[in-house]
Amino acid sequence: MKEFTTPTQFQDLAQLLSDDGIATSGIWYHGTASGLVAAIQSEGLKGSGDAEIMARQLKTLSTIGHTTSEHKDPVFLTQSKELAYFWASQKTHTRNLYLQGNEEAVIFAVNLPETLQAQVTTDAGGAALVMEPGNLYVAWLRELYENNGKTLAEIDPFKCDRMDYLNKLGLAYLATDVEPQYLTLLK
């Protein structure tokens, strides 16, 4: 089922996973594409920060007569390097497809000060992933759970605890930008 292999140095889910879900520490991770590294290192993580892809999407929408105001997504975070690598791979695939590049998946460790740490919240947008039949992320995560002797219980988006999106699925976000001094590119 798994369509890619997480590099060994990022395989940390086995250490984080328990019957209660995925443990959280004071360090978060953000996965992205290598083409964005220089901008992130100089400007930090910005919500909806992939200006090249955003401009391309807005241009495409305008050709079909769609007008839109700019929308700013929060900064996606997860408590696992392994899960961040999944999202980095997705971003890399998108950029390589649209920009005809040869980028690679990269991960940033995000070590936030207490004031920002308190603003990290569970990403209830995960409900869309759970409701999508055969969602690749949920299927891959279910496989990771099973490989580690655990079971990812079904999550009912209408009845679940909002924290399940963080504790069970590893989905969090920060609704503010992250300055470069809080970021470390992992090798």
Side-chain angles (χ1 to χ4, degrees), residues 25-30 40 45 75-79 107-118 120 174 177-186:
S25 70
I27 299 176
W28 297 94
Y29 300 96
H30 178 83
I40 291 170
L45 287 173
V75 173
F76 172 78
L77 301 171
T78 184
Q79 64 268 53
I107 299 173
F108 280 92
V110 183
N111 195 349
L112 299 170
E114 284 184 36
T115 55
L116 290 178
Q117 188 75 262
V120 175
L174 182 61
D177 296 340
V178 179
E179 297 299 319
Q181 67 262 29
Y182 305 128
L183 306 171
T184 304
L185 180 63
L186 302 181

